Amino acid sequence: MGDTAATAEPGFEGAAQDQEARLRDLGFEVMPEWRPQGHLRRLAVTVRHFSGLLFGGLAWQWAATSGGGPRRALLWAAALPGRWFVDRDLRALPFPVQLRRRLERLGPTYIKLGQILSLREDLLPRPVTDELKHLLNNLPVVPLDAIRRIIEKDLGRPAGELFRSIDPVPMGSASIGQIHPAVTLDGRRVLLKVVKPGIRQTLERDARLLRMLGAVAQVLLPRYQPRQIVDEFCTYTLREVDLRLEADNAEIFAGHFADTPEVVFPGIHRAWCGRSVLCMEFLDGLSPDSKEALELPEEDRRRLTDLGAMAIIRMLYQDGFFHADLHPGNLVILPGPKVGFIDLGMVGRLDEDLRRSLMYYYFALVMGDGENAARHLTAIAIPGPGADPAAFRRDAADIANRWKLAANFKDFSLGQLILQSLARGAEHRMYFPVELVLMVKALVTFEGVGNVLLPGFNVAEVSRKHIRGLFLEQFSPLRLLSEGMRGVPEMVDAMIKMPLLITDGLRVLERLTRQPREPAWASLGPALSAIAFLAAGSAALWFRSPWPVWTGLLLSAFILALRRR
């Protein structure tokens, strides 16, 4: 790809038009110039699309219902007002397709929402999540001139003083940002990730509208937990538009794997980073699904799958800090062989209790212990109204035991097992934290890439070694001592305060001993009476006496017990 000078020169506007023409010639759709849109207008557009989705779904259901009868007539009447909302080219499409098409029309925020919804097989019907996986991945690109202006505004210096050149053709364009190869003044090859113009404002505005719509949908469709989904989406997505956080993530990952040079994360060039610009090392390697990767020696491919398993298991169950947007495009095979992880804007965090519970669950799965796997998964779940934990535990155990008989990606993958278990949880009103769903995405990616490199590989066998070692490490004497040391500050504080507490306690005891003592038998009367009433009330209850009798006796026992000095 040819490079173009990054500095602004006379006639740069004409160069910008040439850039747009070149991008279109290469097959890119060019993003129109962003203009702010008011809340009311955006709300009207959003409501129109979601109303159209509702009536479009009714129209499709009416068309799919055969014969006559009152049900078809009722559907026709309900769908009739939707003729003002539903486009003709959408009416005949199934509901999941209508949902995908409308999310695409609503723009980047809703495309991102749809991509996250495609993971929630524990909450949404399978046809919906399958269709949402087809959402657009390559979105319209922004010409280099607009990218240059963002770089200069964010870093406070002309682009020509920072970079020798920036490639005008982006390597990728997602809903939030796009990536350009560049060369620094000292000749280093880097990648520039830049937030697209207007995206931050659009996301913040749409997040407010989505939270309102989520609150309304929670009343209408509580089973699908729309408020929870919207809150999770807004939390994760708004973090992605601050690229300083992605730089932090990359450095945290690098620190966690400092002792494992075969697992690589891009280095961050902080001097050229800001809120909207991320400058990182260019990891030049192979995509896992490329022809060159498949032609690697079998020994290298086995080593790569083992490295991938180790890295993902360590992220999830040791560090509790993992790549939450893992797919083949975010993995790089480097010479060595080594495994590189890129695009680190979306990460998941597991607190210690959840991390340990998930580790026990995964350990039980790969060791073939379906009963304990189901027990740990049930403990992680959050029961909703009308939940049936016992029935869910039985179903989860059955699914795990079936997987044990066919533990390879072709027949029944580990990710499919967990997704089936989560989907069954929704049927029993058992809900799960979003971190569990993101964990499944990482495991599914690992399985898929492993199966491409080594067709038919056994994910349990590859995982077992690493999870067993991690499990044993959790209970090593050194780790137990280390965890026990966490309570040392509190113990020291208690030891410092102990003499004062003993002194105060002795003073209280001395005051009590100086008070006139009652005869020992003085306190026995109320106690014996309370015991007698309690026994009589219990006997009356046992022999099914009228309720006023045993209630009065038990109440009398309670009052006498309170009066005892």
Side-chain angles (χ1 to χ4, degrees), residues 447-512:
E447 284 188 291
V449 171
N451 190 64
V452 169
L453 294 175
L454 289 173
F457 88 113
N458 189 317
V459 63
E461 181 181 342
V462 175
S463 301
R464 197 172 288 134
K465 174 182 66 174
H466 300 291
I467 193 68
R468 185 189 287 121
L470 185 58
F471 194 85
L472 293 176
E473 182 185 337
Q474 296 290 315
F475 296 100
S476 66
L478 185 61
R479 184 176 181 86
L480 292 176
L481 178 63
S482 175
E483 292 192 358
M485 292 295 289
R486 295 180 185 178
V488 167
E490 288 79 7
M491 292 176 62
V492 172
D493 186 57
M495 291 175 66
I496 293 173
K497 294 179 179 178
M498 190 174 294
L500 181 62
L501 293 173
I502 293 174
T503 303
D504 290 343
L506 288 174
R507 287 173 182 167
V508 173
L509 183 61
E510 185 179 1
R511 285 198 300 269
L512 291 175

Side-chain angles (χ1 to χ4, degrees), residues 173-499:
S173 176
S175 54
I176 291 176
Q178 65 185 46
I179 296 177
H180 289 260
V183 179
T184 63
L185 293 179
D186 57 5
R188 282 180 286 181
R189 296 180 65 196
V190 295
L191 289 181
L192 291 176
K193 182 175 182 179
V194 182
V195 176
K196 292 179 177 179
I199 288 296
R200 182 176 290 109
Q201 298 90 325
T202 300
L203 285 173
E204 290 171 351
R205 178 201 60 203
D206 287 346
R208 289 190 286 269
L209 297 178
L210 279 171
R211 284 194 166 105
M212 290 191 298
L213 293 172
V216 174
Q218 184 68 29
V219 178
L220 301 174
L221 300 167
R223 175 179 178 181
Y224 300 115
Q225 301 290 300
R227 180 183 293 169
Q228 174 188 337
I229 292 175
V230 168
D231 287 343
E232 291 167 354
F233 164 74
C234 294
T235 299
Y236 276 95
T237 304
L238 291 176
R239 288 178 62 87
E240 283 192 76
V241 294
D242 188 345
L243 297 184
R244 295 170 298 186
L245 298 177
E246 181 169 348
D248 295 341
N249 295 339
E251 293 176 344
I252 292 172
F253 277 122
H256 286 168
F257 286 86
D259 60 342
T260 312
E262 296 89 354
V263 179
V264 180
F265 300 89
I268 302 300
H269 302 289
R270 286 283 185 176
W272 303 301
C273 291
R275 190 182 183 201
S276 300
V277 180
L278 176 66
C279 182
M280 54 189 163
E281 177 187 2
F282 182 23
L283 299 183
D284 192 5
L286 304 175
S287 174
D289 52 3
S290 66
K291 181 181 178 182
E292 293 82 359
L294 300 180
E295 293 174 349
L296 291 172
E298 182 177 343
E299 181 181 353
D300 286 354
R301 287 182 280 128
R302 289 192 181 278
R303 176 61 179 159
L304 288 167
T305 56
D306 189 68
L307 279 173
M310 179 276 295
I312 291 172
I313 288 172
R314 182 169 169 177
M315 287 180 194
L316 291 169
Y317 308 122
Q318 178 174 315
D319 303 328
F321 185 83
F322 63 96
H323 197 312
D325 190 21
L326 203 57
H327 54 77
N330 289 341
L331 294 171
V332 180
I333 296 176
L334 302 170
K338 299 179 181 180
V339 175
F341 291 83
I342 59 175
D343 194 5
L344 307 171
M346 189 173 179
V347 297
R349 292 173 172 83
L350 305 174
D351 61 48
E352 186 171 348
D353 291 338
L354 181 57
R355 176 178 56 80
R356 188 169 291 160
S357 297
L358 290 174
M359 183 183 69
Y360 295 160
Y361 171 57
Y362 191 75
F363 178 79
L365 280 180
V366 299
M367 297 303 292
D369 186 356
E371 296 298 329
N372 270 323
R375 179 170 63 85
H376 292 306
L377 186 60
T378 305
I380 296 168
I382 304 168
D388 190 349
F392 168 68
R393 181 172 170 176
R394 288 193 300 270
D395 289 352
D398 290 342
I399 294 171
N401 289 329
R402 288 203 309 272
W403 175 79
K404 184 169 60 175
L405 302 176
N408 62 72
F409 186 85
K410 180 179 178 181
D411 298 328
F412 197 51
S413 79
L414 182 62
Q416 290 171 347
L417 178 156
I418 302 176
L419 286 175
Q420 283 191 19
S421 300
L422 300 187
R424 194 64 58 87
E427 296 176 10
H428 295 294
R429 303 292 194 273
M430 302 285 285
Y431 303 107
F432 299 91
V434 67
E435 290 80 8
L436 179 57
V437 180
L438 297 175
M439 180 197 83
V440 176
K441 183 179 181 182
L443 294 175
V444 168
T445 299
F446 158 57
E447 284 188 291
V449 171
N451 190 64
V452 169
L453 294 175
L454 289 173
F457 88 113
N458 189 317
V459 63
E461 181 181 342
V462 175
S463 301
R464 197 172 288 134
K465 174 182 66 174
H466 300 291
I467 193 68
R468 185 189 287 121
L470 185 58
F471 194 85
L472 293 176
E473 182 185 337
Q474 296 290 315
F475 296 100
S476 66
L478 185 61
R479 184 176 181 86
L480 292 176
L481 178 63
S482 175
E483 292 192 358
M485 292 295 289
R486 295 180 185 178
V488 167
E490 288 79 7
M491 292 176 62
V492 172
D493 186 57
M495 291 175 66
I496 293 173
K497 294 179 179 178
M498 190 174 294

